[in-house]
Amino acid sequence: MTVAEDLAETPETAEEEPIKQRKNGLYPGVSDELAENMKSGWADTELRDLEPIPQAAETAARRAALSARFPGERLVIPAGNLKTRSNDTEYAFRASVEYAYLTGNQTEDGVLVLEPKGEGHEATIYLLPRSDRENGEFWLDGQGELWVGRRHSLTEAGKLYGIPASDVRELAGALREATGPVRVVRGYDAGIEAALTDKVTAERDEELRVFLSEARLVKDEFEIGELQKAVDSTVRGFEDVVKVLDKAEATSERYIEGTFFLRARVEGNDVGYGTIAAAGPHACTLHWVRNDGAVRSGELLLLDAGVETHTYYTADVTRTLPVNGRFDEIQRKIYDAVYDAQEAGIAAVRPGAKYRDFHDAAQRVLAERLVEWGLVEGPVERVLELGLQRRWTLHGTGHMLGMDVHDCAAARVEAYVDGVLEPGMCLTVEPGLYFQADDLTVPEEYRGIGVRIEDDILVTEDGNRNLSAALPRRSDEVEAWMASLKG
């Protein structure tokens, strides 16, 4: 009898799917002798001296706030599943922000469940246990430990995350039998959602998603530390790029992207979003991520990039740099206008201010310059009322920042864009001017120039702190900084 036949007749594994073999694999099957051999002779690798993860106290406090908001209701927050990239290869997994925020865990297929108990909830984290050595999953399955690496045991996970851990393979069945009110964070785990299909409503689930988004508006001390760590690595990534601009000129924007990515992978988890390495007229395409264009001396490079830490907090910084190290007259004129707009925006970031204030302040400066240059007819109030400056500014002046580059996106409008700034909020201030290469309404020498300057700003008790202040912003300081790095 083969291993597959043995599994099919074992009651304990009757519901398990058979381990899939590649259609064109070189081994047609597994002999009983090899299967038996692979079951034994393995050392005990249980980790017994584990300490809780650094943010365990913070994740516990976040779960307590969630429990208080939804008393008496079962709450289900999935991490998500692997997604196929092509054939039998998967994209790198990134757990849902909601799940990672509440647990600190980043494992695929994980699910956090808060069960009502007394006046609060009892939390359980559902995970895949260690690969099974009895049925051969650890070496035969494509996601077995000998293929993709060791998983934590459920006991280990309980110690690390401060939450009792159970086998996630049993969860869907238990949820199908559950009674009482339930909410689930949708969009991450189709199997879990299917198990709850007759127990949840879209409206109630959206309330859960909105609450978890708004909970992240104000960062705790751990989060602020992680954001600063992300920014510090990002600063070093920008320095790396400046040092190799000659190699980028000999190749393409991809050299810039790859250089920054190396820093992100060495010091963090990944980049927080697709790097924008936009040289020349590509800088006028706001989300230019193809990064396959030429890098030419005499043109500008708009680099919008951020390192993501191992705990998923990302920086989001932009600098517009002269490839040869010196701005020409027109480039400097446009750059300095954007710099002045950013200065006005940053000055408007303080506790008690309206969220919109920094945007309005920056847009006013840009509108004033556009009127001054004769590109749009004034007065400035008319330009702002009609939004005429948007032909060349295009985007908003910033957004919340955290575990998502555009963090807290599901928050209510009145809590976010129509809200008031509080200490602990972190946002970007990033005005820009973009003169498209085919824009006949501007002088020819403006065309193809795009400038954005972006920094990550923390709201403090008495104003704000620029987390990315280590990167020069003023045009003359940028030139001096580039010269010092090029040696």
Side-chain angles (χ1 to χ4, degrees), residues 115-128:
E115 295 278 355
K117 186 174 183 180
E119 296 184 358
H121 287 82
E122 185 174 79
T124 303
I125 189 169
Y126 289 85
L127 301 166
L128 284 171

Side-chain angles (χ1 to χ4, degrees), residues 352-371:
K354 294 178 181 178
Y355 176 84
R356 291 180 181 272
D357 286 353
F358 77 94
H359 168 73
D360 293 341
Q363 290 294 300
R364 176 171 292 277
V365 172
L366 295 179
E368 288 171 350
R369 297 303 169 85
L370 292 168
V371 170

